[in-house]
Amino acid sequence: MKIGVFCSANNTIDADFFTETEALGAWIAAQGHAIVYGGCNCGLMECVGKAVHLHGGQTIGVIPRIIEQGGRVSDYVDISIACDNLSDRKDLILLKSDVLIALPGGIGTLDEIFTLAASATNGYHNKRVVLFNIKGFWDALLHLLDHLQAQGMIRGNYRQTIVVANSVDDFFQLLQQT
């Protein structure tokens, strides 16, 4: 299975996020899965890529040219797919992945989550986005989405597309349903 990964590219975040991300990457490799991700050499992106790679898994980096030109490509990318911009990167990660997981992240990660959720709502695909809820990171977002749902601003049930895993074991259970 190819697992699309969205996450922070910042280094100055809670150390527990790195610990859980490394465990997730090791688990992904141990299960024989590959990741499709942004391929940067910083933050949780570097952490998950390194963990998967060092534990014998395959990493597929979808790398915008500006990242490559800036010298920010991870040494742990096994297969590199060049793209022009972040929109192309999202499209390619979606295309190449069976399921997607969002680790803690910022504006870029939110953009990725919502682009994929909106495109699923409109029928472009039927893939789920799993929020890896390390230390309750996504709780505030889920509260907001529940509010939007209650206000009638979201068609259907968003939890059909955006699902939550609070641990690697939860993620494993969700994959069994895919």
Side-chain angles (χ1 to χ4, degrees), residues 38-86:
C40 285
N41 65 1
C42 48
L44 297 181
M45 259 195 258
E46 176 76 344
C47 181
V48 73
K50 180 178 181 181
V52 170
H53 180 85
L54 292 180
H55 287 90
Q58 184 180 60
T59 61
I60 303 164
V62 182
I63 304 164
R65 295 189 199 295
I66 196 167
I67 301 295
E68 186 177 9
Q69 291 166 354
R72 296 178 300 185
V73 177
S74 174
D75 291 335
Y76 301 103
V77 171
D78 297 313
I79 297 170
S80 180
I81 300 171
C83 62
D84 290 327
N85 54 52
L86 296 176

